[in-house]
Amino acid sequence: MRVLAVLIGLVMAAVCGVYGAAGDEAPNLNVVTTFPDNPFSLVQNGRANRVVLSITNPPSADRALLLEEITGAFLNPKKLDGQRGRVLRNMTATKVKSVPITNVGGQPLQVPFDFYSEFKPQSLDVEFFVKVMDQGNSKRYTLPVYRGSVVIEEPKPSWFDPQLLSVYALMALAAAGMAYFVYETYIAPYFAANKPLKQRVVKPQPKPTSSTDSQEWLPEQTRKTRKTASKRR
């Protein structure tokens, strides 16, 4: 009896160890990554580039998982994994408010992820990761879900781009300031130095009239009378 009890205990311990090891393994998710309206996987600099992750948790796994974060990285296609310079830049992670990974109506969980690029036009590799938490053991796992190539390109210029409009405004202000400086420094002094002087017009002063001239209009008799009166004085 004791031997039988020991054998049963060993079998139960082995079974529990197997289930425990299985629960500690990273979950296996089915993930399909698509670039919406972007069949050639073009990535434009300075703009949000979107991918959509369609995540399915296989029913056979029987694990309650929560999606917590999505992130990624740009990779150098000329380098191998583990080599220095393989990872060019990590993408900014997007936090997710613990979304359960469950199939709703037979449809996978679809989550968008936006990332940005600031590279010269070229072909690069990218990879995306999801961070999930197993509610059974409260452990977190970072799972690779996609790796592929993208083409980096500059966005097509637009006359109504707000950034270009601000550049145009700054250029116009700089040109106006330069024109004002040139006018005040060179043009205005030149015209001031070569401006013709106005001739001063001197108005003739009225000639003072003598007493004799002032009496010419008087009758002769009146003039004789005034002369006699002046002699008597």
Side-chain angles (χ1 to χ4, degrees):
M1 293 295 294
R2 292 181 178 179
V3 175
L4 181 60
V6 171
L7 291 176
I8 293 175
L10 291 174
V11 171
M12 293 297 294
V15 172
C16 291
V18 171
Y19 278 104
D24 290 339
E25 292 180 356
N28 184 20
L29 298 177
N30 296 328
V31 181
V32 177
T33 303
T34 57
F35 290 76
D37 302 324
N38 188 6
F40 300 104
S41 302
L42 301 178
V43 174
Q44 292 188 345
N45 285 327
R47 296 184 178 179
N49 300 274
R50 171 164 293 191
V51 295
V52 176
L53 306 180
S54 300
I55 307 173
T56 303
N57 186 13
S60 58
D62 192 23
R63 300 175 71 173
L65 303 176
L66 295 177
L67 177 63
E68 294 187 337
E69 184 179 286
I70 304 175
T71 187
F74 289 96
L75 306 177
N76 187 347
K78 298 179 181 180
K79 301 288 185 177
L80 299 176
D81 290 343
Q83 289 185 341
R84 185 177 182 181
R86 170 61 170 166
V87 178
L88 297 176
R89 186 173 66 84
N90 292 319
M91 301 176 186
T92 302
T94 298
K95 301 290 183 179
V96 183
K97 295 182 179 180
S98 299
V99 178
I101 303 177
T102 57
N103 298 337
V104 180
Q107 298 296 324
L109 174 65
Q110 292 188 335
V111 185
F113 174 63
D114 294 333
F115 62 97
Y116 296 84
S117 167
E118 294 295 342
F119 294 97
K120 294 180 180 180
Q122 58 185 307
S123 295
L124 295 178
D125 290 343
V126 295
E127 61 181 355
F128 301 115
F129 301 90
V130 295
K131 180 180 289 186
V132 300
M133 187 187 74
D134 191 335
Q135 292 181 292
N137 55 19
S138 299
K139 290 186 176 181
R140 290 174 170 80
Y141 303 90
T142 300
L143 308 176
V145 296
Y146 177 83
R147 176 174 288 188
S149 298
V150 296
V151 178
I152 310 295
E153 65 175 13
E154 295 293 342
K156 296 180 181 179
S158 174
W159 291 102
F160 300 100
D161 191 336
Q163 294 183 351
L164 289 179
L165 291 177
S166 62
V167 172
Y168 297 152
L170 292 176
M171 292 177 63
L173 290 175
M178 182 62 66
Y180 179 79
F181 173 78
V182 172
Y183 176 81
E184 291 293 330
T185 306
Y186 302 102
I187 299 177
Y190 173 80
F191 282 109
N194 294 273
K195 186 176 180 182
L197 297 177
K198 292 184 178 180
Q199 295 182 356
R200 185 177 180 183
V201 179
V202 180
K203 295 183 180 181
Q205 298 293 331
K207 184 178 180 181
T209 58
S210 62
S211 59
T212 306
D213 295 337
S214 61
Q215 295 180 3
E216 288 181 353
W217 61 277
L218 297 175
E220 185 178 356
Q221 184 63 31
T222 304
R223 292 200 299 271
K224 290 181 178 181
T225 304
R226 289 190 174 185
K227 288 182 179 180
T228 303
S230 61
K231 288 181 179 181
R232 290 178 178 177
R233 293 177 184 174

